[in-house]
Amino acid sequence: AASTAAASTATTTSPNSSTTSTSTSTCTTCTTSNAAPAAAAAAAPARFRQRGELITGRIPGVDKAVSRIIYGTLFLHSFESDETCFELLDSVWAAGCNAFDCAAIYGGGKCEERMGRWMRSRGIARADVVIISKGGCEGQDKLWAATCSDAVKLRADLDASLARLGVEYLDAYLLHRDDPSTPVEKVVDAMDGLVASGGIRAWGVSNWQLPRLAAALDYSRRWGKAGPVADSPQNSLAEPSRAVWPNTSFLPAERRPLWAEVTRGEVAMLGWESLAKGFMCGRWTRADGEGLAEFELGESNAAEWRDMQLRRAYCDGPLNFDRRDRALELGAQKGVSLAEMALGYVISQSALSFALVGTTSISHWKENVKAAQPGSPANALTAAEMAYMETGAWRRAGGGHGTVPVA
């Protein structure tokens, strides 16, 4: 299933296009005069006028090229000030990244608010940015329980996200969790209505199981509804031994062919935790997976509980440590870092595969984004190279097998 098609069919973003806009917004939450965006653009960093280039792809239903690395806004609320937060977002934008992954529950809505303030302060034209957000679930205090059965609440969640971001529409809106007890037809009908309303251009799912996604696609095809165009599970070379977080999903390598068969090239893959919360940057050793005790989330142990969840998922057994060692080996041959190899592993899976990155460090971002730069060997991995990192088996042309890759 893996191939270099992603690299051969990808386009690149234009580094010299203007990011300023002088149009008047009609959004009731963000109405501005023509002069406001122009003034903001004049104050924006000069480097925006000469942005970097990244390879891009398409999310079906979204009428813009999308950078193959998407910036995740999960931690924007953790910055002490807008100024420091905006420095990071400036770096993300300057690199050529034009796509941002948001969610209603991130920072209790503060991440969307900061994202919106940054766009306005920098005069970023709405047509130049791809905004993905998610709704339809509760926060950590309720273990992210799905609320996608309530069409009225979905509409309210969407309206609240639009208001916080200060935009009139989202390029894609994802259901953050699934409620398998809700008929899939009811969910598709509700999301089809949101598309028809103009509040979203397209919709997708996050953390759905494949049979539910297949049912949603089948129903939408048969009845001419707007169906899901994006699926966002955990997707990483570091394969979790179990769901990382309650009610989440992940895509093991052996399931990718079935996923491709079900989605028929109609659905983009937006992989979260592609770096496995730092595992694929060298975080944790084999000893970190030993003697882990299971315990439930309480009122005062959130940090400890999250650390336990991550180590149970990524450090349980030798599989991921062996994969990491092989990625280091292959990366050394190609002259790229471990993080680049991990992100390239996701990007190289198909032309519809995107990697989400949510770092709060400018230096880490600059390292990570190299994986999506034109000409990087990390985003043109072959099926054989990916199989070697996964299993240690080297499949040579003609069907032969070996154990050591040839540079």
Side-chain angles (χ1 to χ4, degrees), residues 120-209:
R120 292 189 295 277
S121 73
R122 297 321 194 230
I124 305 294
R126 182 65 186 87
D128 291 343
V129 63
V130 177
I131 303 178
I132 302 163
S133 198
K134 301 184 289 293
C137 85
E138 304 284 3
Q140 179 176 290
D141 58 326
K142 296 184 180 179
L143 291 179
W144 304 280
T147 60
C148 60
S149 62
D150 188 340
V152 174
K153 189 175 188 309
L154 283 177
R155 177 77 243 189
D157 282 354
L158 171 60
D159 288 343
S161 286
L162 293 173
R164 285 189 293 265
L165 287 160
V167 298
E168 295 178 328
Y169 71 93
L170 299 177
D171 294 284
Y173 191 50
L174 275 54
L175 296 175
H176 213 159
R177 294 291 193 278
D178 185 24
D179 176 4
S181 69
T182 301
V184 75
E185 297 84 357
K186 181 178 180 180
V187 177
V188 173
D189 287 347
M191 300 306 289
D192 179 73
L194 293 183
V195 173
S197 76
I200 61 175
R201 295 293 187 261
W203 72 279
V205 299
S206 181
N207 301 306
W208 279 37
Q209 298 302 318

Side-chain angles (χ1 to χ4, degrees), residues 58-65 169 171 201:
R58 291 283 179 176
I59 296 175
V62 175
D63 60 354
K64 306 169 186 176
Y169 71 93
D171 294 284
R201 295 293 187 261

Side-chain angles (χ1 to χ4, degrees), residues 8-251:
S8 63
T9 62
T11 59
T12 58
T13 57
S14 172
N16 298 316
S17 62
S18 171
T19 61
T20 65
S21 171
T22 57
S23 62
T24 300
S25 171
T26 58
C27 175
T28 57
T29 62
C30 58
T31 302
T32 59
S33 68
N34 286 341
R47 58 184 167 173
F48 284 1
R49 299 167 198 145
Q50 190 69 31
R51 294 174 63 205
E53 289 187 351
L54 300 182
I55 61 170
T56 63
R58 291 283 179 176
I59 296 175
V62 175
D63 60 354
K64 306 169 186 176
V66 184
S67 54
R68 298 289 294 282
I69 282 185
I70 298 173
Y71 182 74
T73 64
L74 173 62
F75 299 113
L76 292 189
H77 68 291
S78 66
F79 286 88
E80 292 184 358
S81 67
D82 278 0
E83 181 181 3
T84 54
C85 177
F86 291 1
E87 288 178 2
L88 171 65
L89 291 173
D90 287 346
S91 182
V92 171
W93 187 254
C97 178
N98 72 334
F100 297 81
D101 173 71
C102 309
I105 64 171
Y106 290 169
K110 293 180 181 178
C111 295
E112 287 180 326
E113 291 173 354
R114 269 195 162 154
M115 180 71 196
R117 289 198 298 273
W118 172 76
M119 286 191 296
R120 292 189 295 277
S121 73
R122 297 321 194 230
I124 305 294
R126 182 65 186 87
D128 291 343
V129 63
V130 177
I131 303 178
I132 302 163
S133 198
K134 301 184 289 293
C137 85
E138 304 284 3
Q140 179 176 290
D141 58 326
K142 296 184 180 179
L143 291 179
W144 304 280
T147 60
C148 60
S149 62
D150 188 340
V152 174
K153 189 175 188 309
L154 283 177
R155 177 77 243 189
D157 282 354
L158 171 60
D159 288 343
S161 286
L162 293 173
R164 285 189 293 265
L165 287 160
V167 298
E168 295 178 328
Y169 71 93
L170 299 177
D171 294 284
Y173 191 50
L174 275 54
L175 296 175
H176 213 159
R177 294 291 193 278
D178 185 24
D179 176 4
S181 69
T182 301
V184 75
E185 297 84 357
K186 181 178 180 180
V187 177
V188 173
D189 287 347
M191 300 306 289
D192 179 73
L194 293 183
V195 173
S197 76
I200 61 175
R201 295 293 187 261
W203 72 279
V205 299
S206 181
N207 301 306
W208 279 37
Q209 298 302 318
L210 189 55
R212 286 277 287 179
L213 174 59
L217 288 166
D218 179 66
Y219 175 72
S220 62
R221 289 165 181 154
R222 285 189 291 112
W223 294 98
K225 305 278 187 176
V229 300
D231 182 23
S232 187
Q234 190 273 2
N235 186 8
S236 172
L237 181 61
E239 184 177 301
S241 60
R242 64 179 191 180
V244 185
W245 309 109
N247 303 314
T248 60
S249 64
F250 57 96
L251 186 70

Side-chain angles (χ1 to χ4, degrees), residues 260-283:
E261 179 182 338
V262 165
T263 57
R264 303 183 193 174
E266 300 171 0
V267 179
M269 166 61 62
L270 313 182
W272 56 263
E273 281 191 15
S274 298
L275 292 174
K277 278 292 190 288
F279 183 96
M280 293 307 300
C281 300
R283 183 183 182 186

